[in-house]
Amino acid sequence: ITPGELLCLGSSLAFSGLFYYLYRRKSRVVTRIQEAPKLQVDDNLPALVSAAEGRCLPYVALEGIVLPAQAALTSHYHEGLQGVIQKLQLKEHRLVWNSLARSW
């Protein structure tokens, strides 16, 4: 076995390990999203959020009726299908320590 073959084998194993680690990490996130509780948008939702730990619900699916601000968009391809455009989106930014870059 030549040093070049050992280098190729080592780098191949290192890349395989890295990609498997990234796959497992993303797989856990997908599982948490799929198992997220489904909540209805109603008057009980603010009380539920304020009672949660840290006043934050990590992964939830909100179900409810969306009313358009003006007219609903209709599909050209599917009869009877309507939709709306979301104009306001709230995104919570959290600081997470990145050990690779050693930064927040």
Side-chain angles (χ1 to χ4, degrees):
I1 297 177
T2 65
E5 290 173 339
L6 285 176
L7 180 68
C8 289
L9 178 64
S11 63
S12 175
L13 289 174
F15 279 120
S16 294
L18 173 69
F19 291 137
Y20 182 72
Y21 167 74
L22 293 174
Y23 164 76
R24 293 292 298 161
R25 198 171 82 183
K26 296 300 179 184
S27 174
R28 280 187 230 119
V29 171
V30 168
T31 303
R32 286 183 62 193
I33 290 173
Q34 288 175 342
E35 294 173 352
K38 294 182 181 177
L39 302 176
Q40 295 291 326
V41 177
D42 57 7
D43 296 333
N44 299 332
L45 187 60
L48 182 64
V49 171
S50 62
E53 181 181 337
R55 298 187 58 172
C56 176
L57 299 172
Y59 289 107
V60 294
L62 294 176
E63 295 178 339
I65 297 174
V66 177
L67 299 174
Q70 296 173 356
L73 302 173
T74 57
S75 173
H76 296 286
Y77 304 107
H78 299 284
E79 190 174 318
L81 188 63
Q82 293 184 340
V84 295
I85 296 176
Q86 181 177 349
K87 291 185 179 182
L88 175 67
Q89 180 178 2
L90 175 65
K91 186 172 185 179
E92 180 180 340
H93 296 279
R94 292 178 20 185
L95 292 177
V96 178
W97 177 254
N98 184 348
S99 60
L100 187 61
R102 298 195 181 276
S103 66
W104 286 99

